[in-house]
Amino acid sequence: MSHIGHLAKRFVSSWSREDVTEDELNMVQSTLTASEFNLWNQFGIADRRHSVEVAQRFAVFLPEASREHRAGVLLHDIGKVQSNLSTLMRGIATLVGPRTKRFALYHQHEKIGITMLRHAGSHTDVIAVLNQTCDAEVAAAFRSADNI
């Protein structure tokens, strides 16, 4: 799927008000450390849903992935919470670029997320998923899972 197609699909699906299920929440909690789970809980409903959906696809692509890599996938968008943008404003920020402070924060979400994970004491392998310095197989499985 093209980058624009992925973004369009993500935009449309982000309007759903359906939160993760109890089983999905248990999977997240059993994968993340306590401090990582505290970060994950900062996500809004749409981001929690996206996080779980990407993690589920990643598990199909790479079932033997480590806890750290699965945690990195679950938290790959955590930096977006710092921009505090609505779904509509995220779409606009994607189209117009980093023209305002909050739009700039949104466009720097990977870097911000890495800092947040470092402060949370996350393992370097968790962070490696966000900055794409992980094993090539892990990176490819993550990109595929995130871009469907």
Side-chain angles (χ1 to χ4, degrees), residues 3-4 21 35-36 41 70 73 85 91 117-118 126 147:
H3 182 65
I4 296 298
T21 67
S35 58
E36 290 168 347
N41 274 316
R70 289 181 290 119
V73 170
L85 293 176
L117 290 173
R118 284 189 178 127
V126 175
N147 289 317

Side-chain angles (χ1 to χ4, degrees), residues 4 37 78 81 100 102 137 144:
I4 296 298
F37 187 67
I78 194 60
V81 301
T100 69
R102 287 173 53 203
E137 183 180 26
S144 293

Side-chain angles (χ1 to χ4, degrees), residues 21-35:
T21 67
E22 186 176 337
D23 285 344
E24 290 167 335
L25 185 61
N26 288 336
M27 177 275 294
V28 171
Q29 196 163 18
S30 69
T31 302
L32 301 178
T33 65
S35 58

Side-chain angles (χ1 to χ4, degrees), residues 1-113:
M1 177 178 287
S2 73
H3 182 65
I4 296 298
H6 161 73
L7 293 174
K9 183 178 177 189
R10 173 90 195 271
F11 181 77
V12 170
S13 69
S14 67
W15 290 98
S16 170
R17 294 287 88 200
E18 184 179 329
D19 205 345
V20 298
T21 67
E22 186 176 337
D23 285 344
E24 290 167 335
L25 185 61
N26 288 336
M27 177 275 294
V28 171
Q29 196 163 18
S30 69
T31 302
L32 301 178
T33 65
S35 58
E36 290 168 347
F37 187 67
N38 287 338
L39 287 178
W40 187 87
N41 274 316
Q42 293 179 33
F43 278 142
I45 290 172
D47 287 330
R48 285 195 300 264
R49 166 106 332 266
H50 173 72
S51 167
V52 167
E53 288 171 353
V54 174
Q56 289 170 333
R57 290 189 296 260
F58 178 76
V60 171
F61 294 141
L62 200 63
E64 70 279 5
S66 69
R67 183 219 64 91
E68 291 82 10
H69 291 141
R70 289 181 290 119
V73 170
L74 281 166
L75 292 164
H76 74 276
D77 281 336
I78 194 60
K80 289 181 178 179
V81 301
Q82 295 295 317
S83 67
N84 198 27
L85 293 176
S86 67
T87 298
L88 178 61
M89 294 308 288
R90 285 180 179 190
I92 293 169
T94 300
L95 293 173
V96 303
R99 296 180 186 221
T100 69
K101 181 179 179 181
R102 287 173 53 203
F103 284 12
L105 288 172
Y106 178 75
H107 282 277
Q108 297 171 8
H109 76 271
E110 290 97 350
K111 181 179 177 183
I112 292 166

